[in-house]
């Protein structure tokens, strides 16, 4: 971004770097037209894990998962447990769908067209 803020020519750079600088220049020159994407603090993956646990129909597994996500190392323990329970694919499908819903809502809130 610093390079984009300079008025130095960049035609001596490799093509890929020139393209990156063109994009960076556009961002610098038209910053007010860009919309900030959500950060990891806006997307609550812990909440997703908790919600996923509640979708598990086997109450023994559900309770075990809910216990694993409490306290330190929750993400690691959760991942280990879904592997043990052989529901890893279900989790990733669930998480992907939640991310898609977040993306759709962000697009809708920011008047950005969403294409599947």
């Amino acid at each position: 971004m610093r390079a984009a803020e300079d008025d130095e020519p960049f035609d001596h750079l490799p093509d890929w770097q020139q393209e990156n600088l063109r994009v960076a220049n556009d961002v610098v020159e038209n910053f007010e037209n860009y919309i900030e994407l959500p950060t990891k603090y806006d997307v609550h993956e812990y909440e997703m894990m908790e919600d996923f646990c509640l979708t598990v129909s086997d109450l023994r597994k559900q309770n075990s998962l809910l216990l694993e996500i409490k306290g330190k190392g929750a993400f690691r323990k959760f991942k280990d447990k879904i592997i043990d329970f052989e529901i890893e694919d279900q989790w990733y499908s669930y998480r992907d769908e939640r991310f898609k819903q977040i993306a759709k809502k962000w697009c809708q809130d920011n008047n950005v067209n969403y294409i599947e």
Side-chain angles (χ1 to χ4, degrees), residues 48-56 78 87 90-91 94:
M48 282 185 212
M49 288 188 329
E50 190 172 41
D51 291 346
F52 172 76
C53 293
L54 297 172
T55 69
V56 175
F78 174 79
I87 57 173
Q90 289 170 263
W91 158 246
Y94 180 87

Side-chain angles (χ1 to χ4, degrees):
M1 290 303 287
R2 273 187 242 122
E5 292 170 344
D6 294 338
D7 288 331
E8 300 293 322
F10 52 84
D11 56 346
H12 64 284
L13 297 171
D15 289 345
W16 68 269
Q17 207 166 10
Q18 288 184 41
E19 177 60 26
N20 286 347
L21 279 171
R22 277 192 277 286
V23 170
N25 280 333
D26 186 59
V27 171
V28 168
E29 292 171 9
N30 301 296
F31 187 75
E32 67 279 353
N33 297 326
Y34 284 86
I35 304 168
E36 188 173 346
L37 291 170
T39 67
K40 67 179 181 177
Y41 302 107
D42 300 318
V43 177
H44 306 285
E45 196 165 354
Y46 178 85
E47 186 179 300
M48 282 185 212
M49 288 188 329
E50 190 172 41
D51 291 346
F52 172 76
C53 293
L54 297 172
T55 69
V56 175
S57 58
D58 181 320
L59 290 178
R60 182 186 62 79
K61 290 179 181 179
Q62 183 185 100
N63 289 331
S64 179
L65 286 167
L66 288 167
L67 285 173
E68 293 297 329
I69 63 171
K70 304 293 182 209
K72 188 175 180 173
F75 286 89
R76 169 85 285 177
K77 292 189 291 186
F78 174 79
K79 186 171 182 183
D80 290 344
K81 192 56 75 172
I82 62 171
I83 290 169
D84 289 347
F85 288 155
E86 298 179 345
I87 57 173
E88 192 175 9
D89 289 342
Q90 289 170 263
W91 158 246
Y92 288 116
S93 293
Y94 180 87
R95 188 189 67 171
D96 291 349
E97 184 59 33
R98 288 286 297 266
F99 280 138
K100 187 189 318 184
Q101 295 309 316
I102 290 167
K104 284 180 178 180
K105 181 168 180 1
W106 182 89
C107 288
Q108 183 180 34
D109 291 349
N110 291 282
N111 296 318
V112 173
N113 290 334
Y114 178 87
I115 300 170
E116 285 281 337

